[in-house]
Amino acid sequence: MMRTRPLKVALLGCGVVGSEVTRIMTTHADDLAARIGAPVEIAGIAVRRPGRVRAGVPEELITTDATALVKRGDIDVVIEVIGGIEPARSLITTAFEHGASVVSANKALLAQDGAALHAAAEKHGRDLYYEAAVAGAIPLVRPLRESLAGDKVNRVLGIVNGTTNFILDKMDTSGAGYSEALDEATALGYAEADPTADVEGFDAAAKAAILAGIAFHTRVRLDDVYREGMTEVTAADFASAKQMGCTIKLLAICERAADGQSVTARVHPAMIPLSHPLASVREAYNAVFVEAEAAGRLMFYGPGAGGSPTASAVLGDLVAVCRNKLAQSTGPGESAYTRLPVSPMGEVVTRYHISLDVADKPGVLAQVATVFAAHGVSIDTVRQTGKDGEASLVVVTHRAADAALSATVEALRKLDTVRGVASIMRVEGE
Amino acid sequence: MMRTRPLKVALLGCGVVGSEVTRIMTTHADDLAARIGAPVEIAGIAVRRPGRVRAGVPEELITTDATALVKRGDIDVVIEVIGGIEPARSLITTAFEHGASVVSANKALLAQDGAALHAAAEKHGRDLYYEAAVAGAIPLVRPLRESLAGDKVNRVLGIVNGTTNFILDKMDTSGAGYSEALDEATALGYAEADPTADVEGFDAAAKAAILAGIAFHTRVRLDDVYREGMTEVTAADFASAKQMGCTIKLLAICERAADGQSVTARVHPAMIPLSHPLASVREAYNAVFVEAEAAGRLMFYGPGAGGSPTASAVLGDLVAVCRNKLAQSTGPGESAYTRLPVSPMGEVVTRYHISLDVADKPGVLAQVATVFAAHGVSIDTVRQTGKDGEASLVVVTHRAADAALSATVEALRKLDTVRGVASIMRVEGE
């Protein structure tokens, strides 16, 4: 039984994602109607620069007054694909106040203000869905929030930024340095003119905050996520990684502490074994490992960005939110009942790979080993090489608290026999 | 705001999955209550042989009268993990009639009678969820049914049977023959005493029917699925596959025809390139590729069977169904509006790898090539080897209708110069 009065959608933003959402909603209108149980139509599209609207987007729907659009009162669902904090936050809040549910692709906003937005949605009895905010088309928010709702997730480990994965993959396969690989990514459209958000890990950190919150049923904000970018990864690091049977990926890692009483979330480059499924994630693809108590190890893989994949995620949410609207119900809201605190990076248990330039004389290794022991850090392997009067030591540790590892490195820097710390990288995925 | 009157669950079956469901519902009761918004308790457990009930399962809940249990009238959700067609089908139907929603892990029943069961659920305003019926803990039904509800799925290609993947992986890595690998799988508990359902592809075919129906929004029954088991795959086939840079997997393949007017579903062993992500799925793991118009290529990977993983999927569904119950709504029901017909195997477009034992004399290749040409099948590569007066031809075709490929093989068998068709295998995943 199909309702004939269409559900009305307001689209905020009409860039790459918004215009693809518009295109699919137009060309696949019959399918969407059949799946929702009612036709769905775009009632208005808010843009900043109407002159730049793309081909195929109906001109009569365009407005520059986004606030008036969300205040119309007859809008069932607002799709927000503007990005950034403001005006997106105010528009979403206004949308809830005026009776609309919201589908958003805005990772930065959700990582910063997710709790407040969820509260606003709940107050007004509306839905807030955001599958597109994490890893593009890859179903990840819904599986974590719904499929694993009866399980206990202990770890989420993933490649959630396509730009940096493209750059690291180039460095790995071609031996290129960071700048060269970045230039190629920019030329091919994988990196933006200002790549800061990607290469410094801000984008991945926002996604880590969202994933950790959902996975552990608690609140994790962007500020809670430890973040290191990948701009300092060198060709020499890749060479070291290869010697260990590893490659280097920028990982988002969300973990429940061993005692279950806290969680951690972090983003940093790390060495992972070539045998790990994440090691073979190439180009701009994303992939996320989820480890749950009953389910075991699951992996989700796919395109993490781009207009069409992101539109796919947005429209999946649109169908769900429209169905909820017709059923006069809402989907699952925020689940943050565990109130687990987020521990600082120092408490994360991990492993380090450390390259030291050292004096080529007897006793250096003993000195270095003493420093590790003094900080309670156990050494897994040491490789010592000497050439041209210089020597280098590559140390890989066993698992230890990051604070202890970090203090060890500081103490090593102060040794006379240590001329420099060539690189430090965490080792994950074992 | 938590409701205090508990939701009541009737569990049908208490084998490996059922006892794990019971264990998790007991140990994680608080988490489940928080996520659902109300406590949930097991009101009764129906088993066939009460003496065989496992440790940790409360004895006072055990009954042998499953029908009376689902007829009690106060049951909110029936979890069916008996398997098989009857009595599962009657019990599920009775459950709907008496006001319960149903969570099932029963692939055989859903592949055979999914439409009727969905209709019964809808008639009584109840939910029918079955994430656990396909690929164990891997979220697949929900992503296809909900996350991709705004997209157009064109292809589902996957390893959905862990037993056969374990056997094929053994054959690949150790060079073992089929019987030897099956024995190992049996010894390790990966294969049942009667492995027919797995090795003849019935289990995978049921999953293919379910996946195709959901993916293409149509009805696909078990009988619609073309099925070939993997008992005739030999060590020689693996050797041939290796020469082509391939391995062999038992694949479930659901495709939309190029003209969009029909679909196909099939299960058979096939060669896939080692570079394909499915090629590296080891042991009893499952993995499913989904190709959608907007989303692109997605992959879902994880444990496809086992008590805990299956229980994880069952409990995810339980949480969803309980939430729906509290919201007095239901989740998405059957979506079969496209009514796309299922084409027979002959219309499937695929590639063949054919090994022929031929007479070692001039002109044989020309004769063979003429047969291919006469059936409109284009040859990709031919490799001719002769030893000890015998010769063999390995032909790999371009894509053609399966009927044409099959007719070609029949015609080849009739050639005097062809002494035998050593093996035929489809080539997929490119």
Side-chain angles (χ1 to χ4, degrees):
Chain A
M1 194 83 72
M2 172 100 55
R3 191 178 90 150
T4 50
R5 189 173 69 75
L7 289 155
K8 290 190 178 174
V9 170
L11 181 62
L12 309 182
C14 200
V16 179
V17 177
S19 53
E20 188 63 8
V21 167
T22 308
R23 188 190 69 74
I24 297 174
M25 285 186 67
T26 309
T27 55
H28 290 20
D30 291 348
D31 282 312
L32 291 171
R35 297 173 192 182
I36 290 168
V40 58
E41 67 177 29
I42 299 180
I45 303 173
V47 300
R48 267 195 304 175
R49 289 178 292 264
R52 292 177 64 179
V53 170
R54 285 159 182 258
V57 175
E59 248 184 82
E60 66 278 16
L61 297 179
I62 301 294
T63 172
T64 52
D65 192 346
T67 306
L69 178 59
V70 300
K71 279 187 174 173
R72 268 175 50 162
D74 64 341
I75 301 297
D76 295 290
V77 185
V78 168
I79 295 177
E80 184 271 305
V81 287
I82 306 173
I85 305 300
E86 284 294 351
R89 178 170 55 193
S90 302
L91 290 168
I92 289 174
T93 310
T94 307
F96 289 136
E97 286 163 3
H98 288 79
S101 285
V102 173
V103 174
S104 172
N106 194 331
K107 64 215 77 165
L109 177 58
L110 283 153
Q112 184 181 303
D113 292 313
L117 294 174
H118 271 296
E122 196 177 351
K123 180 180 165 194
H124 297 283
R126 295 294 176 261
D127 273 325
L128 171 62
Y129 274 52
Y130 45 89
E131 183 65 77
V134 185
I138 310 174
L140 205 54
V141 172
R142 183 174 280 100
L144 278 173
R145 195 151 89 149
E146 302 183 43
S147 305
L148 291 165
D151 207 332
K152 184 177 178 186
V153 176
N154 288 320
R155 197 152 186 254
V156 177
L157 174 77
I159 296 167
V160 294
N161 180 274
T163 305
T164 49
N165 199 58
F166 183 91
I167 296 171
L168 291 168
D169 186 30
K170 276 295 143 203
M171 291 175 71
D172 188 24
T173 53
S174 73
Y178 166 70
S179 323
E180 197 185 329
L182 172 62
D183 288 347
E184 188 174 344
T186 310
L188 291 170
Y190 287 113
E192 293 179 47
D194 176 1
T196 310
D198 293 318
V199 301
E200 295 295 353
F202 290 102
D203 175 85
K207 292 165 179 169
I210 296 170
L211 290 174
I214 299 173
F216 305 131
H217 298 266
T218 189
R219 281 186 187 151
V220 179
R221 287 167 52 103
L222 183 55
D223 296 344
D224 298 323
V225 181
Y226 174 83
R227 179 190 53 74
E228 260 177 49
M230 45 69 72
T231 58
E232 284 170 29
V233 177
T234 63
D237 290 328
F238 272 102
S240 299
K242 266 181 194 149
Q243 282 185 315
M244 283 184 65
C246 286
T247 186
I248 298 170
K249 296 290 186 187
L250 184 72
L251 298 179
I253 306 173
C254 312
E255 288 174 316
R256 193 187 288 274
D259 67 1
Q261 298 309 303
S262 64
V263 302
T264 54
R266 53 193 165 118
V267 167
H268 55 72
M271 294 185 182
I272 55 166
L274 292 173
S275 59
H276 194 284
L278 290 180
S280 52
V281 175
R282 298 267 168 246
E283 303 193 328
Y285 275 87
N286 281 196
V288 177
F289 248 82
V290 176
E291 294 176 23
E293 199 175 81
R297 302 177 86 194
L298 305 171
M299 188 173 80
F300 303 81
Y301 167 94
S308 293
T310 307
S312 171
V314 164
L315 291 169
D317 279 353
L318 176 67
V319 170
V321 168
C322 287
R323 280 174 176 162
N324 292 344
K325 180 96 185 184
L326 292 179
Q328 294 180 294
S329 71
T330 53
E334 188 192 27
S335 176
Y337 70 92
T338 65
R339 297 282 185 272
L340 289 172
V342 185
S343 297
M345 186 63 195
E347 293 178 24
V348 165
V349 174
T350 180
R351 297 172 64 200
Y352 271 26
H353 173 284
I354 306 162
S355 293
L356 302 171
D357 296 324
V358 296
D360 193 7
K361 60 184 185 186
V364 173
L365 178 54
Q367 261 193 322
V368 165
T370 304
V371 170
F372 278 89
H375 290 84
V377 174
S378 168
I379 292 174
D380 180 12
T381 59
V382 180
R383 192 158 33 85
Q384 190 164 200
T385 52
K387 54 175 185 184
D388 310 332
E390 288 292 304
S392 85
L393 275 185
V394 174
V395 180
V396 181
T397 73
H398 281 299
R399 284 160 60 82
D402 201 79
L405 289 160
S406 166
T408 306
V409 172
E410 282 318 297
L412 289 171
R413 282 188 207 278
K414 288 178 190 147
L415 289 183
D416 287 343
T417 47
V418 172
R419 299 198 175 140
V421 178
S423 86
I424 310 163
M425 196 165 298
R426 295 183 185 87
V427 182
E428 303 286 340
E430 285 159 311
Chain B
M1 195 84 72
M2 172 102 52
R3 193 178 89 148
T4 49
R5 189 172 70 75
L7 290 155
K8 291 190 178 175
V9 171
L11 180 63
L12 309 182
C14 200
V16 181
V17 177
S19 52
E20 186 64 8
V21 166
T22 308
R23 190 190 67 75
I24 298 175
M25 284 185 68
T26 310
T27 55
H28 290 20
D30 291 347
D31 282 313
L32 291 171
R35 296 173 193 183
I36 290 167
V40 58
E41 67 177 30
I42 300 181
I45 304 174
V47 300
R48 268 195 303 175
R49 290 179 292 265
R52 293 178 62 180
V53 168
R54 285 158 182 258
V57 175
E59 248 183 82
E60 67 276 15
L61 297 179
I62 301 292
T63 172
T64 53
D65 192 345
T67 306
L69 179 58
V70 300
K71 279 186 174 173
R72 270 175 48 162
D74 65 340
I75 302 297
D76 296 290
V77 186
V78 169
I79 296 177
E80 183 270 306
V81 288
I82 307 173
I85 304 301
E86 283 295 351
R89 178 171 52 194
S90 303
L91 290 168
I92 289 175
T93 310
T94 308
F96 290 137
E97 287 164 3
H98 289 77
S101 285
V102 173
V103 174
S104 171
N106 194 328
K107 64 216 78 169
L109 178 58
L110 283 153
Q112 183 181 303
D113 292 312
L117 294 175
H118 271 297
E122 194 177 351
K123 181 180 165 194
H124 296 283
R126 294 295 176 259
D127 273 324
L128 172 62
Y129 274 52
Y130 44 88
E131 183 65 77
V134 185
I138 310 174
L140 205 53
V141 172
R142 184 174 279 101
L144 277 173
R145 195 152 92 148
E146 302 184 43
S147 305
L148 290 166
D151 207 332
K152 184 177 178 186
V153 175
N154 288 319
R155 197 152 187 254
V156 177
L157 174 77
I159 296 166
V160 295
N161 181 275
T163 305
T164 50
N165 200 59
F166 183 90
I167 296 171
L168 290 169
D169 186 30
K170 276 294 140 201
M171 292 176 72
D172 188 23
T173 52
S174 74
Y178 165 71
S179 324
E180 197 186 329
L182 172 61
D183 288 347
E184 187 173 344
T186 310
L188 291 170
Y190 287 114
E192 294 179 47
D194 176 1
T196 311
D198 293 318
V199 301
E200 295 295 353
F202 290 100
D203 174 84
K207 292 164 180 170
I210 296 170
L211 289 175
I214 299 172
F216 305 133
H217 298 266
T218 189
R219 281 185 186 152
V220 179
R221 286 166 54 102
L222 182 55
D223 296 344
D224 298 324
V225 181
Y226 174 83
R227 179 189 52 76
E228 259 177 51
M230 46 69 72
T231 58
E232 286 170 28
V233 176
T234 63
D237 290 327
F238 272 102
S240 299
K242 267 181 193 150
Q243 283 185 314
M244 281 184 68
C246 286
T247 187
I248 298 170
K249 295 292 185 186
L250 183 72
L251 298 180
I253 307 175
C254 313
E255 289 174 314
R256 192 188 287 275
D259 67 1
Q261 297 310 301
S262 64
V263 301
T264 54
R266 52 192 164 117
V267 168
H268 54 72
M271 294 186 182
I272 55 165
L274 292 174
S275 59
H276 194 284
L278 290 179
S280 51
V281 176
R282 298 268 170 245
E283 304 193 327
Y285 275 87
N286 282 196
V288 177
F289 247 83
V290 176
E291 294 176 23
E293 199 174 82
R297 302 176 86 195
L298 304 171
M299 189 171 80
F300 303 81
Y301 167 96
S308 293
T310 308
S312 171
V314 164
L315 291 169
D317 279 355
L318 176 67
V319 170
V321 167
C322 287
R323 280 174 177 164
N324 292 342
K325 181 96 185 185
L326 292 180
Q328 295 182 296
S329 72
T330 54
E334 187 191 27
S335 175
Y337 70 93
T338 65
R339 297 283 184 273
L340 289 172
V342 185
S343 298
M345 187 62 196
E347 292 178 23
V348 165
V349 174
T350 180
R351 298 172 64 200
Y352 270 26
H353 174 283
I354 305 162
S355 294
L356 303 170
D357 296 324
V358 296
D360 192 8
K361 59 185 185 184
V364 173
L365 177 54
Q367 261 193 324
V368 166
T370 304
V371 170
F372 278 90
H375 290 84
V377 175
S378 169
I379 292 175
D380 180 11
T381 59
V382 180
R383 190 158 33 87
Q384 192 164 198
T385 52
K387 55 175 183 183
D388 310 332
E390 288 291 304
S392 85
L393 275 184
V394 174
V395 181
V396 181
T397 73
H398 283 296
R399 284 161 60 81
D402 201 79
L405 289 160
S406 165
T408 305
V409 172
E410 282 319 297
L412 289 171
R413 284 187 205 278
K414 290 177 190 149
L415 289 182
D416 288 344
T417 47
V418 172
R419 297 195 176 140
V421 178
S423 86
I424 311 162
M425 195 163 298
R426 295 183 185 87
V427 182
E428 303 286 340
E430 286 158 312

